[in-house]
Amino acid sequence: MKKNRKNLALLLLAASLLAGCAGQSNSQSSQSSQAKSEKKAESKASSKSAAKSAASSAVSSTKSSSSQASSKSAAKSAASSAVSSTKSSSSQASSKSAASSSQRADANRMGTLTSQLRVKLPGMLLPAADGLGQGSSNLNIRYTSSSSQNVVYYSVGNSPLALNDSRIASEKPYAVLTEKKNVADASSLINYQEPKTGLPAVKIASNVTGTEEGAAGSTYLQFNQGQWSFVVRASNVQGQKPLPTAQKLLALYQQYGLPDTAAKSSVQVDVGESLGSLNTVITWAKGSSVYQLKAHSAETAFKMLKSLN
């Protein structure tokens, strides 16, 4: 009986030991499973973190590339703008240089021809300016000379020609300067008009008044300044008015003046300007000579006479 009890105790002890081993095994298995789950979680977290890092790196790289591209584009744009600005400045400088060269060439042509004229017509007063607004590069000059007078014709042709080239005779002159030599009675050639009285007064400027009269289908407006008489003729048939031209003459006289003269001299103008019309006639005396300049416009005449020497 005691032996059976001892065996039973041994069996219970063995069963208890087996249960303990099984529990420990289950505990180790549970811990292993938990460790594996934690590793998987850590692995997933690591993967997500790596993905985020990669995405962030990609975005950063894209931004960097975009920034570099933008910088390159800006640099190219700035360079292009600088080149464009340089080209524009160069073009403007070139245009100014060309215009300046053209003006010098025009002035040199008048100067060259006038220098040649002075050799051919010694002692004659000649203008240094051609009085033109355009066409100076094709300025042509011819002249005639005799013991009693010199005549110089100024014209603009299709091309510049040598002084007194025979082809210039076919061109319409825009100005003609004449010197009559050794004149005994200058007044008969100058046709100065004394101030008139008893005629309707016309106000030309605040301090200048002229007189007006009609004759033979025309209206004549006259005013005087110093040694000079100014007469403007307007055609009634063509509906012309003399006052605007008289006001322009006065303004030109005040701006440019007229040649020095001890004798009474005259300015006569027919209203209307056209090439070859020579409607402006200015006559004055210098020493024993009487000079007369005819021009297609009053402004051209005044500019030429301003440079007379």
Side-chain angles (χ1 to χ4, degrees), residues 187-206:
S187 60
S188 62
L189 298 174
I190 292 174
N191 196 28
Y192 172 83
Q193 300 292 309
E194 293 288 349
K196 293 185 170 56
T197 58
L199 294 173
V202 177
K203 190 173 184 179
I204 299 170
S206 59

Side-chain angles (χ1 to χ4, degrees), residues 181-189 288 290:
K181 306 174 186 177
N182 304 314
V183 177
D185 182 14
S187 60
S188 62
L189 298 174
S288 61
V290 172

Side-chain angles (χ1 to χ4, degrees), residues 267-296:
V267 177
Q268 296 174 300
V269 177
D270 285 351
V271 175
E273 298 178 353
S274 61
L275 181 62
S277 63
L278 304 180
N279 283 346
T280 296
V281 181
I282 301 175
T283 313
W284 74 101
K286 183 71 173 179
S288 61
S289 294
V290 172
Y291 285 87
Q292 184 178 81
L293 177 66
K294 295 181 178 181
H296 79 294

Side-chain angles (χ1 to χ4, degrees), residues 55-284:
S56 176
S57 178
V59 169
S60 177
S61 177
T62 300
K63 287 182 178 179
S64 177
S65 298
S66 176
S67 176
Q68 289 177 355
S70 177
S71 298
K72 288 181 179 179
S73 176
K76 286 183 179 179
S77 178
S80 176
S81 177
V83 170
S84 177
S85 177
T86 301
K87 286 183 178 178
S88 177
S89 299
S90 178
S91 177
Q92 289 177 356
S94 178
S95 296
K96 287 181 180 179
S97 177
S100 178
S101 296
S102 176
Q103 290 174 353
R104 286 197 299 271
D106 294 347
N108 287 341
R109 178 155 182 77
M110 180 63 177
T112 298
L113 292 173
T114 301
S115 295
Q116 294 172 6
L117 267 179
R118 293 192 190 284
V119 175
K120 303 293 183 180
L121 308 173
M124 181 179 180
L125 293 175
L126 296 170
D130 59 27
L132 294 172
Q134 59 183 1
S136 296
S137 58
N138 288 333
L139 170 71
N140 290 319
I141 298 177
R142 69 182 180 91
Y143 71 93
T144 61
S145 181
S146 68
S147 59
S148 61
Q149 71 174 18
N150 297 322
V151 184
V152 182
Y153 302 84
Y154 297 84
S155 61
V156 175
N158 295 322
S159 61
L161 301 172
L163 178 67
N164 246 23
D165 188 293
S166 60
R167 290 170 289 180
I168 300 175
S170 64
E171 298 175 355
K172 284 185 177 181
Y174 70 84
V176 178
L177 178 63
T178 301
E179 177 195 17
K180 292 188 179 293
K181 306 174 186 177
N182 304 314
V183 177
D185 182 14
S187 60
S188 62
L189 298 174
I190 292 174
N191 196 28
Y192 172 83
Q193 300 292 309
E194 293 288 349
K196 293 185 170 56
T197 58
L199 294 173
V202 177
K203 190 173 184 179
I204 299 170
S206 59
N207 59 343
V208 179
T209 301
T211 57
E212 189 175 82
E213 65 178 325
S218 297
T219 299
Y220 295 84
L221 177 55
Q222 176 186 334
F223 65 96
N224 292 60
Q225 293 287 288
Q227 293 285 84
W228 294 86
S229 68
F230 297 78
V231 178
V232 177
R233 186 187 75 84
S235 170
N236 296 335
V237 176
Q238 297 179 34
Q240 296 173 340
K241 302 296 181 182
L243 181 57
T245 299
Q247 291 172 328
K248 180 180 179 180
L249 277 177
L250 179 61
L252 289 170
Y253 173 69
Q254 292 172 341
Q255 180 179 359
Y256 295 103
L258 284 168
D260 292 333
T261 174
K264 293 180 178 181
S265 304
S266 69
V267 177
Q268 296 174 300
V269 177
D270 285 351
V271 175
E273 298 178 353
S274 61
L275 181 62
S277 63
L278 304 180
N279 283 346
T280 296
V281 181
I282 301 175
T283 313
W284 74 101

